[in-house]
Amino acid sequence: MTPTAYIAHQVAGRTRLRVPEKRGDDHYFETVRQKLSVNSAVERLKVTPETASILLHHAGSFAPIAAVAAEYELFRIADRTTAPTNQSSPLKASGLGPASALDAVATGLSGLALFQLARGQAFGSAVENFWNSYGAKQLLQRPGLAGLFAAIGVYQVLSGRYLGSAASLLFYSMVTRRLASSEREKRSHAGVTSEATSEALERPPRKRAEVVFPRRS
């Protein structure tokens, strides 16, 4: 099946494509480079498998090049001009619904926290408190609260209360994997931005056309 390519950016004589489903596939992008580089309309071509990017400098319209790529089954151009993104907000990814519902959940959890405190269940396991410390530092941007949770975690380790329930540990594992995936996406996006900046700096400045008026005798 022919992969789908999305036009990430396009100006006269320059087109950048993304082929998300082939990200990291060195063999595929090398094949694209070899087959399209021999096209007379392609002046320069650069592929970056890590970011699923194909950058073409071409003479004339890009449409004939896209037709050749489709004929070789290298890629077909999607109807829309931007590639779908895997990035989503934490609220949307959680599937918890609108902000009003989340506020209600937060209020309920605060009430349960007071209930547990009244029952003498003030602290969770060491793992739970270390996780809370990370959340306070990264999400709430409150290093003081993060330090407090970390101290409670150390106290629970010394008390022999290391682990929480299996369900909690599994949930922490899933969230951590999601955070790791988001971090990789951010680094990938930063690499693309850096690449674009580097290309802009390397591109020679355009010469201004000089108009010379004949001298009057």
Side-chain angles (χ1 to χ4, degrees):
M1 184 177 179
T2 305
T4 301
Y6 299 86
I7 297 178
H9 180 70
Q10 189 173 44
V11 294
R14 184 175 184 271
T15 301
R16 181 184 293 278
L17 305 173
R18 302 280 184 203
V19 191
E21 61 191 277
K22 292 295 184 180
R23 182 186 300 272
D25 190 336
D26 295 342
H27 176 72
Y28 167 78
F29 285 98
E30 178 61 21
T31 301
V32 171
R33 189 190 66 80
Q34 291 178 0
K35 291 192 174 183
L36 292 187
S37 293
V38 298
N39 190 298
S40 59
V42 177
E43 298 176 342
R44 186 155 60 95
L45 189 153
K46 179 181 179 181
V47 297
T48 310
E50 294 80 4
T51 57
S53 170
I54 303 172
L55 176 62
L56 296 111
H57 294 262
H58 49 85
S61 173
F62 171 69
I65 301 174
V68 170
E71 181 181 352
Y72 286 152
E73 297 185 348
L74 297 175
F75 54 78
R76 63 175 181 84
I77 302 299
D79 295 334
R80 50 188 175 179
T81 58
T82 55
T85 176
N86 292 327
Q87 297 180 354
S88 58
S89 67
L91 297 182
K92 184 176 180 181
S94 66
L96 291 177
S100 58
L102 292 176
D103 288 335
V105 172
T107 302
L109 290 174
S110 298
L112 290 175
L114 294 176
F115 176 72
Q116 288 294 83
L117 181 62
R119 295 178 59 194
Q121 302 293 329
F123 305 132
S125 66
V127 171
E128 180 180 348
N129 282 283
F130 287 137
W131 174 260
N132 292 341
S133 174
Y134 173 82
K137 178 66 169 60
Q138 295 296 113
L139 302 179
L140 302 180
Q141 301 295 316
R142 297 179 61 179
L145 184 60
L148 175 61
F149 277 120
I152 295 174
V154 172
Y155 173 79
Q156 292 296 76
V157 168
L158 297 177
S159 301
R161 303 183 182 94
Y162 304 104
L163 305 177
S165 66
S168 297
L169 294 173
L170 180 60
F171 176 74
Y172 297 155
S173 174
M174 294 170 63
V175 174
T176 303
R177 288 185 186 277
R178 175 59 183 169
L179 292 173
S181 177
S182 298
E183 185 65 25
R184 282 192 291 268
E185 290 176 1
K186 289 180 182 179
R187 291 182 180 179
S188 176
H189 179 72
V192 172
T193 304
S194 176
E195 174 190 340
T197 303
S198 177
E199 291 174 358
L201 293 174
E202 293 175 358
R203 191 180 302 122
R206 295 181 178 178
K207 294 182 179 180
R208 294 183 176 180
E210 297 182 358
V211 180
V212 180
F213 295 93
R215 294 184 179 180
R216 294 182 179 180
S217 58

